Amino acid sequence: MHTGTTLTQFIIEEQRHIAGATGEFTALLNDVVTAIKTISNAVNKGALIGVMGALETENVQGETQKKLDVITNEMMIRNNEWAGHLAGMASEEMDEVYPIPAQYPLGKYLMVFDPLDGSSNVDINISVGTIFSILRAPVPNRAATAADFLQPGVKQVCAGYALYGSSTMLVLTTGHGVNGFTLDRDIGEFILTHPGMKIPADTKEFAINASNQRFWEAPVQRYVAECLEGSTGPRGRDFNMRWVASMVAEVHRILTRGGIFMYPRDTKDPGKAGKLRLLYEANPMSFIVEQAGGVSSTGYERILDMTPENLHQRVPVILGSKNEVEVVLGYHKQA
Ligand code: P6P
């Protein structure tokens, strides 16, 4: 029985779209996929292998690290440091750039990732994910500096996420649309199950952490208030709300059935421009969302156009169904 298109076959066919691709990109992506299968296995075993719970340590964000934050970061590093495709790596869980160890060759790509996004959900068995973004190294085969990573999101060669949910899925773009794959554990391969994912332009479903309502700026206050007024208000229709506290799960829902996801700038911590990180959350997710026909903005500018100022820069994020995001952007313009 034919197993369907495997990810390996798909990547090799995709590679033909990437200017100058020499097979290195394919090999790099295969190593990323190996790391994701390893992470899926650890996440799915959970308490059986003692990976639940928090550590005494904090990451650069000042967030308490879960055991799995550190374990999955290690898995991404170990599976990708040796093959000679990368000039360096950066991650939510590491303050600085990870240099490729001297015993391994340097390559022409950079990878930045959030190894376990939404990890606060691990202990309560709610979906979590891995987000990754691949850039070209400005100077191939030279150890990457932090500055090398500070490229606008439009420069991404590839962006993807793994969602460790009821099934493990991998969603990927290399700039030619978005495709979803489901892990078949019996053969250890990701199979193409969601070709050509597209976000519906309209939606009646918004996602935001409503507990921050008093801190939002006026345009977001107005937008959410109108959603809650529903058919009795200016929008003339009722809305539904979701909040999973796992960006990967929210984005996947939006790719599957539409929606708008907002983690806007708020005054809760005036020193922070937003909660989500530009390099390894907002940029890869924005690349995927735009490739699926959606829109992704800070409220004031296209996220993919931003030139990052530092590895862990935070930005406001408003993304999803084109027509709905444009309503919110219109309110920002009026303000
Ligand atoms: P809050 C997870 O920590 C994360 O970075 C995103 O995945 C998620 O959308 C957001 O933060 C949840 O934030 O404030 O609701 O816990």
Side-chain angles (χ1 to χ4, degrees):
M1 181 184 75
H2 187 54
T3 54
T5 304
T6 65
L7 179 56
T8 304
Q9 176 185 350
F10 183 86
I11 294 172
I12 288 170
E13 287 167 358
E14 270 294 283
Q15 168 191 292
R16 295 178 189 133
H17 293 303
I18 295 184
T22 60
E24 271 205 73
F25 173 75
T26 300
L28 168 58
L29 219 42
N30 276 316
D31 294 344
V32 174
V33 169
T34 301
I36 284 170
K37 291 176 188 173
T38 311
I39 293 171
S40 174
N41 188 49
V43 167
N44 277 272
K45 286 203 167 46
L48 295 173
I49 55 172
V51 294
M52 296 302 202
L55 299 166
E56 301 304 310
T57 53
E58 284 189 350
N59 62 19
V60 67
Q61 331 289 340
E63 295 161 346
T64 304
Q65 288 182 303
K66 298 284 185 185
K67 286 179 193 164
L68 269 175
D69 281 327
V70 174
I71 292 167
T72 55
N73 193 67
E74 277 298 299
M75 289 172 170
M76 287 294 278
I77 294 290
R78 295 291 164 258
N79 281 287
N80 289 287
E81 64 179 347
W82 58 273
H85 307 308
L86 293 173
M89 288 185 254
S91 154
E92 178 182 32
E93 301 306 327
M94 299 186 293
D95 299 3
E96 309 298 334
V97 169
Y98 179 82
I100 301 301
Q103 68 265 36
Y104 301 131
L106 294 167
K108 63 182 184 182
Y109 294 106
L110 303 176
M111 184 162 69
V112 57
F113 53 88
D114 180 356
L116 202 65
D117 180 67
S119 57
S120 58
N121 282 329
V122 163
D123 295 345
I124 55 173
N125 203 15
I126 287 180
S127 301
V128 291
T130 298
I131 310 172
F132 64 92
S133 168
I134 297 173
L135 298 158
R136 285 192 174 82
V139 180
N141 313 317
R142 187 258 291 151
T145 63
D148 291 344
F149 286 84
L150 306 185
Q151 303 178 36
V154 288
K155 297 276 192 184
Q156 292 174 95
V157 173
C158 171
Y161 64 78
L163 176 58
Y164 312 110
S166 43
S167 63
T168 287
M169 282 196 68
L170 177 67
V171 172
L172 201 59
T173 186
T174 56
H176 303 277
V178 178
N179 294 283
F181 303 80
T182 302
L183 180 61
D184 181 338
R185 295 186 189 283
D186 294 339
I187 60 173
E189 274 286 354
F190 278 99
I191 305 298
L192 181 63
T193 50
H194 297 65
M197 299 182 86
K198 283 289 177 198
I199 300 174
D202 294 300
T203 184
K204 295 179 182 175
E205 194 161 66
F206 70 97
I208 194 166
N209 180 339
S211 70
N212 295 324
Q213 190 269 344
R214 64 188 184 282
F215 302 115
W216 297 334
E217 295 179 328
V220 175
Q221 296 267 9
R222 174 183 173 189
Y223 174 74
V224 173
E226 290 180 355
C227 287
L228 298 179
E229 287 173 69
S231 54
T232 63
R235 301 300 307 277
R237 55 195 168 109
D238 291 337
F239 283 76
N240 196 9
M241 198 195 109
R242 288 283 182 275
W243 191 250
V244 185
S246 178
M247 187 186 194
V248 177
E250 315 274 11
V251 170
H252 190 72
R253 184 187 59 248
I254 289 170
L255 274 167
T256 307
R257 69 184 190 207
I260 180 170
F261 167 89
M262 294 172 282
Y263 213 113
R265 180 193 308 272
D266 63 41
T267 58
K268 190 173 185 180
D269 182 341
K272 284 183 184 172
K275 173 169 188 184
L276 302 178
R277 275 61 57 143
L278 177 56
L279 257 65
Y280 39 81
E281 289 173 322
N283 266 345
M285 290 312 205
S286 297
F287 188 15
I288 291 167
V289 163
E290 287 199 3
Q291 282 291 311
V295 171
S296 183
S297 170
T298 63
Y300 301 96
E301 61 181 309
R302 182 189 182 214
I303 285 176
L304 289 182
D305 287 338
M306 298 179 76
T307 299
E309 292 159 13
N310 61 68
L311 284 181
H312 303 290
Q313 178 180 351
R314 296 173 187 268
V315 290
V317 177
I318 299 169
L319 62 76
S321 292
K322 181 176 182 301
N323 294 343
E324 201 60 23
V325 171
E326 284 172 355
V327 169
V328 182
L329 301 189
Y331 293 171
H332 281 76
K333 282 195 182 70
Q334 288 170 32

